[in-house]
Amino acid sequence: MKNFITLNPEVRDAIIESGGDDVIKCYQCGRCMAACPWNLLDGLDYTTYRFCQRIKLGAIIDSEEKEEIAADTIDVFRCVGCDSCKAECPRGVSLSDVLRAVRRILVDFDSYPSELKSVVARLYNSGNPLGEPAEKRADWAAGLDTPQYTEKLDYLYFPCCLPAYDARARKVAQATAKILKRGGISFGIHGKDEFCCGEAVRRVGAEKVFQTAVKQNTELFKASNVKKVIVTSPHCLVTFTKEYPAYYDKFETQHAVQLFDQMITEKKISPKRPFEKTVVYHDPCTLGRQMGIYEEPRRILNSIPGLKLIEIPVFNRDFSVCCGGGAMGLWRDWPQDERLANLRADQILATNADVLCVACPYCLQMFEETLKSMNASIEVMDISEILESALE
Amino acid sequence: MSEIFALVEHRQGTIRDITYELMSCGRKLAENASAKLTAVILGHNTDSIVQAVKSQAHRLLVVDSEMFKDFNSELYQITLSEIIKQQNPRLTLIGHSAFGMDLCPALAVQVGLPFATDCLGVEIVEQKIKVTRQMYDGKLNARVLLRENPGHMITLRSGCFPAGESSLEGVVENLDITVSSQPDYRKFIEYIEAAIGDVDITKSDILVSIGRGVKEQANISVIEDFAAAIGGVVSCSRPVVDAGWLTKDRQVGSSGKTVKPKLYIALGISGAFQHIVGMKSADTIIAVNKDPNAPIFNEADYGIVDDLFKVVPVLKNKILEMKQAKG
């Protein structure tokens, strides 16, 4: 470790230009580090509060030693964008935005983790992170009689890439479509013409690929005059609500739980079939902290007869701990003692619930894999699957 | 009489296999185009190389100099460009190896010849050179016609042209080409041997891949026996590496290796998409899993819903039986 730093205003300016201007607000109080879930892991010190100061001095990724650059790069790409820090920061600094700016520069130099490179490439080439053909994007809807979206329909249902392609997550899209139909909602899908919303590629800094995604989707939305979109992934929700309007703002987006909640209130659907299980609900970072949607999923679960809803003590709502899947964390392979999903799984198992309820395809996948590895008997279900099973 | 050149590739005194593939491809082309094949050797103390290649070509052009003891693309480029300019071969074949990839593009530019890389096939049709190359990650084969020109260059992919026996008696010609000065940019420093992992799963035609369903480390020997019996190699999904039962170099998936074997047998692997992206391009996928809803069955060509420990012995015996019957 070198004991001096070299000031480099060019690096600082480049990062600020790439969108890291929040660094100027930081006065290094350190609350972000206390709030960051990575620091809940034993033996890991993720010194988040240092980032802003180092960037202000232009002293980040500036070493000539390979090992130091590698260690810096690991730190820069560790953040999953859960925004726990932003929620605690007295100055409202979004470290995930700051690190995104640093990543943009690293991605431009092609200097980022190789497993992320392949995801970015697959997404760019095929429109989804799995590299599946666009023609198969509507396969999940086989037999469900979901029409192609036209402007005569009220809603476009945009299921996110994982529920469109992954065999497990497809059940979430299927359950959602069934609920919408039961409630008489007029909706259609775009199938093969959809492109990934681009949330994750933007977070890892692959801005050009994000722009491609925006272009594809906004042109599609414009051409088919989409007014209202329902999404299954809160990651699509955040992107469509907070990032797309800079390019095209003629549509509104709702997460499925918001619409389900509304449908129950308006008695369009009524869960009658009992679900006799104890259910613990995990707040996804993007749905909770980033969109403030905490009560809708709880109201839905509480409306189901027989279902007993419990909370993870302390670490619920604003203090929910990330599953680790954000910002392409889904594709990373951290050492076993550095996995957020394991940490959260321990908290979940301590509640002794029968079912873990999630409302995000990333959380679904992260927890299902992790809990299976722990030989835990708890079942992982998406909220749409639970609700659908309660409809007669 | 037109000539076809093939460059002999050697490292630390040993001729690389690709050389014999170039020779057999070159001989076939020469035969059809009534041309002669010339092996070009740049090396030092080349006697053993000359002896080994003699039967493979009609003529051998040898430049023997201390400078060519080890491969240096810059030196090769300077020397080969002289030879090509002097002799004007109709076609120059070089292996698409690290060596060829380093050398050829710059050489082709220097001598101003039409050039195609990584060719799987090559033929001379009505005086024109027609090659086959792959596009889109191997999903398409493109046939490309090279611009008409007195000379051409191509690099050939290894493993596409079987090396063959030949009984030619090549005439050896020593060329005296001196490179005036040491090259400016490149210097050979040393050979660094790659660390040898026990197996490279990306090279195997048959992979027997295990997941969480293998349950404990003690069970892995059963799978290893099975893999050995059918001529395959054991690979795995992440939980097996997490448990410390196999090393990371056996892991298939987004954070492990991407594999494209002819046969992929997934035993007790549920099929999380991070695993699927690493193996979905396998030619044939057989999945064995107790859970009929396991996502792996969506990818599999054949699926068996049962305990892998019941299925494996039966499969093994059946395959051995079939192998014996075949002799």
Side-chain angles (χ1 to χ4, degrees):
Chain A
M1 190 75 192
K2 54 186 182 177
N3 51 11
F4 59 90
I5 55 168
T6 319
L7 304 188
N8 193 340
E10 279 178 14
V11 172
R12 176 198 62 201
D13 294 347
I15 294 171
I16 289 177
E17 241 172 67
S18 297
D21 37 354
D22 262 10
V23 291
I24 293 161
K25 297 190 220 157
C26 169
Y27 52 42
Q28 290 194 89
C29 68
R31 287 177 73 107
C32 53
M33 184 167 167
C36 179
W38 288 104
N39 290 310
L40 293 171
L41 291 163
D42 285 340
L44 194 80
D45 276 337
Y46 188 36
T47 50
T48 54
Y49 69 94
R50 286 188 185 154
F51 282 124
C52 289
Q53 190 65 4
R54 290 178 65 195
I55 292 169
K56 277 186 269 188
L57 299 172
I60 189 160
I61 320 261
D62 62 334
S63 173
E64 286 179 8
E65 300 295 325
K66 263 189 173 172
E67 291 77 22
E68 285 182 21
I69 293 186
D72 256 6
T73 310
I74 288 175
D75 274 354
V76 168
F77 282 93
R78 185 182 287 282
C79 169
V80 285
C82 75
D83 272 359
S84 293
C85 55
K86 189 181 177 187
E88 285 301 311
C89 177
R91 310 268 305 192
V93 173
S94 169
L95 263 184
S96 60
D97 285 357
V98 168
L99 290 172
R100 185 176 73 184
V102 182
R103 291 170 184 181
R104 280 179 185 167
I105 293 169
L106 290 169
V107 168
D108 272 350
F109 284 98
D110 204 31
S111 175
Y112 63 119
S114 59
E115 62 260 48
L116 300 185
K117 282 184 199 170
S118 18
V119 185
V120 171
R122 283 199 294 268
L123 203 144
Y124 182 72
N125 291 324
S126 59
N128 66 80
L130 307 167
E132 292 289 332
E135 295 71 34
K136 288 187 177 176
R137 199 169 175 110
D139 283 7
W140 66 269
L144 289 177
D145 194 23
T146 45
Q148 181 72 20
Y149 178 82
T150 67
E151 58 183 317
K152 287 181 191 140
L153 299 166
D154 293 342
Y155 290 93
L156 166 71
Y157 174 47
F158 191 94
C160 165
C161 303
L162 299 185
Y165 292 112
D166 174 55
R168 168 66 187 93
R170 270 182 183 175
K171 293 179 183 153
V172 178
Q174 288 157 352
T176 303
K178 283 181 194 162
I179 298 169
L180 297 176
K181 285 181 95 98
R182 282 292 300 271
I185 303 291
S186 118
F187 75 101
I189 59 171
H190 263 319
K192 67 176 173 44
D193 299 327
E194 280 170 12
F195 203 88
C196 171
C197 71
E199 190 257 3
V201 276
R202 184 169 233 200
R203 282 209 193 269
V204 295
E207 183 64 16
K208 286 175 197 148
V209 181
F210 173 70
Q211 295 298 338
T212 310
V214 172
K215 191 162 176 280
Q216 298 264 0
N217 285 323
T218 52
E219 279 177 6
L220 176 66
F221 290 3
K222 252 185 241 174
S224 53
N225 200 12
V226 171
K227 293 277 178 247
K228 289 194 270 186
V229 181
I230 312 163
V231 294
T232 278
S233 168
H235 292 265
C236 303
L237 178 70
V238 170
T239 311
F240 285 163
T241 318
K242 296 188 172 174
E243 317 220 334
Y244 273 49
Y247 310 95
Y248 180 66
D249 63 356
K250 302 282 187 289
F251 69 101
E252 281 169 23
T253 311
Q254 268 193 317
H255 189 267
V257 292
Q258 295 174 287
L259 186 58
F260 295 161
D261 179 47
Q262 215 175 303
M263 287 160 74
I264 294 170
T265 313
E266 292 167 0
K267 305 231 173 331
K268 284 183 177 155
I269 48 169
S270 29
K272 293 242 171 70
R273 189 181 293 160
F275 190 84
E276 303 281 358
K277 282 175 180 168
T278 307
V279 175
V280 61
Y281 176 70
H282 160 82
D283 287 288
C285 312
T286 34
L287 194 63
R289 263 189 304 278
Q290 294 176 22
M291 293 302 297
I293 299 172
Y294 292 120
E295 299 316 319
E296 290 87 337
R298 289 175 170 80
R299 276 200 295 269
I300 295 169
L301 293 171
N302 280 325
S303 74
I304 296 171
L307 187 150
K308 187 183 166 211
L309 177 64
I310 57 170
E311 296 285 350
I312 296 167
V314 186
F315 295 103
N316 62 57
R317 293 185 166 82
D318 261 353
F319 301 115
S320 179
V321 175
C322 182
C323 69
M328 288 197 186
L330 208 59
W331 301 95
R332 301 301 302 276
D333 195 1
W334 296 105
Q336 279 193 86
D337 51 358
E338 292 183 28
R339 291 185 190 163
L340 295 177
N342 290 42
L343 172 83
R344 186 60 166 169
D346 284 338
Q347 295 177 347
I348 289 162
L349 290 176
T351 64
N352 286 320
D354 306 315
V355 175
L356 165 65
C357 173
V358 296
C360 167
Y362 292 10
C363 303
L364 176 73
Q365 212 276 341
M366 291 300 282
F367 289 131
E368 209 166 65
E369 282 300 304
T370 304
L371 289 162
K372 256 193 238 164
S373 288
M374 294 169 126
N375 287 323
S377 58
I378 188 167
E379 203 178 340
V380 186
M381 291 177 85
D382 185 84
I383 191 160
S384 59
E385 296 175 293
I386 298 179
L387 177 59
E388 201 264 328
S389 75
L391 298 179
E392 283 179 331
Chain B
M1 178 70 69
S2 66
E3 268 192 293
I4 293 171
F5 276 18
L7 181 66
V8 174
E9 186 175 330
H10 56 90
R11 188 188 292 166
Q12 291 175 290
T14 311
I15 299 177
R16 314 277 293 163
D17 290 346
I18 182 79
T19 303
Y20 297 105
E21 297 170 18
L22 295 174
M23 297 294 162
S24 89
C25 168
R27 274 197 307 275
K28 208 168 148 202
L29 287 170
E31 212 171 285
N32 293 341
S34 42
K36 294 267 186 242
L37 175 66
T38 300
V40 182
I41 301 167
L42 273 57
H44 185 47
N45 296 333
T46 49
D47 290 351
S48 61
I49 296 175
V50 167
Q51 286 313 317
V53 177
K54 218 169 171 179
S55 64
Q56 297 274 331
H58 301 97
R59 183 166 79 122
L60 286 77
L61 281 181
V62 183
V63 186
D64 195 319
S65 159
E66 170 91 46
M67 280 192 294
F68 299 118
K69 191 164 158 281
D70 299 298
F71 176 69
N72 178 331
S73 67
E74 213 180 340
L75 275 175
Y76 262 66
Q77 187 188 324
I78 296 168
T79 315
L80 283 172
S81 67
E82 287 300 314
I83 299 177
I84 291 171
K85 278 179 198 160
Q86 275 176 19
Q87 313 249 342
N88 290 315
R90 175 102 177 76
L91 176 65
T92 303
L93 303 172
I94 297 177
H96 193 77
S97 54
F99 170 108
M101 281 187 256
D102 190 2
L103 166 69
C104 286
L107 176 61
V109 171
Q110 189 173 356
V111 293
L113 294 183
F115 172 44
T117 56
D118 198 15
C119 301
L120 280 67
V122 48
E123 46 187 330
I124 300 178
V125 184
E126 294 169 2
Q127 297 305 306
K128 288 179 196 155
I129 310 278
K130 194 174 175 186
V131 299
T132 310
R133 306 178 70 237
Q134 288 197 324
M135 294 169 72
Y136 297 112
D137 199 17
K139 290 188 180 68
L140 282 183
N141 280 357
R143 295 210 174 79
V144 181
L145 215 50
L146 291 186
R147 170 164 61 83
E148 267 190 84
N149 197 63
H152 300 85
M153 265 178 72
I154 58 176
T155 60
L156 295 183
R157 183 180 289 192
S158 71
C160 294
F161 302 90
E165 292 291 315
S166 158
S167 52
L168 296 173
E169 284 177 24
V171 183
V172 181
E173 281 177 41
N174 284 296
L175 285 183
D176 190 18
I177 294 181
T178 42
V179 177
S180 52
S181 60
Q182 275 295 314
D184 296 333
Y185 303 109
R186 298 201 187 202
K187 206 164 76 182
F188 172 83
I189 299 173
E190 62 172 327
Y191 284 105
I192 300 170
E193 292 293 332
I196 300 168
D198 56 350
V199 278
D200 182 353
I201 57 169
T202 62
K203 297 268 164 67
S204 178
D205 281 345
I206 301 177
L207 285 178
V208 179
S209 211
I210 49 174
R212 216 177 266 121
V214 77
K215 289 195 193 111
E216 52 184 305
Q217 188 164 21
N219 292 334
I220 291 181
S221 59
V222 179
I223 310 297
E224 274 169 347
D225 285 351
F226 172 56
I230 65 170
V233 161
V234 178
S235 58
C236 64
S237 63
R238 192 175 86 166
V240 175
V241 176
D242 280 354
W245 299 338
L246 286 176
T247 48
K248 181 88 185 165
D249 56 350
R250 303 280 187 128
Q251 185 182 328
V252 173
S254 65
S255 53
K257 290 186 171 144
T258 302
V259 296
K260 291 178 185 172
K262 293 199 170 109
L263 175 63
Y264 190 87
I265 307 179
L267 303 172
I269 293 178
S270 63
F273 55 79
Q274 292 95 334
H275 183 76
I276 304 275
V277 295
M279 46 62 82
K280 66 178 177 188
S281 310
D283 291 350
T284 304
I285 298 168
I286 301 176
V288 183
N289 204 299
K290 274 200 279 197
D291 175 7
N293 294 318
I296 191 79
F297 288 124
N298 281 35
E299 294 299 323
D301 299 293
Y302 302 94
I304 303 170
V305 180
D306 207 339
D307 183 350
L308 73 96
F309 295 105
K310 277 195 221 155
V311 176
V312 164
V314 181
L315 260 183
K316 183 179 158 186
N317 287 338
K318 191 76 198 165
I319 291 171
L320 288 180
E321 234 172 65
M322 287 166 73
K323 270 189 161 181
Q324 268 172 4
K326 250 180 130 183

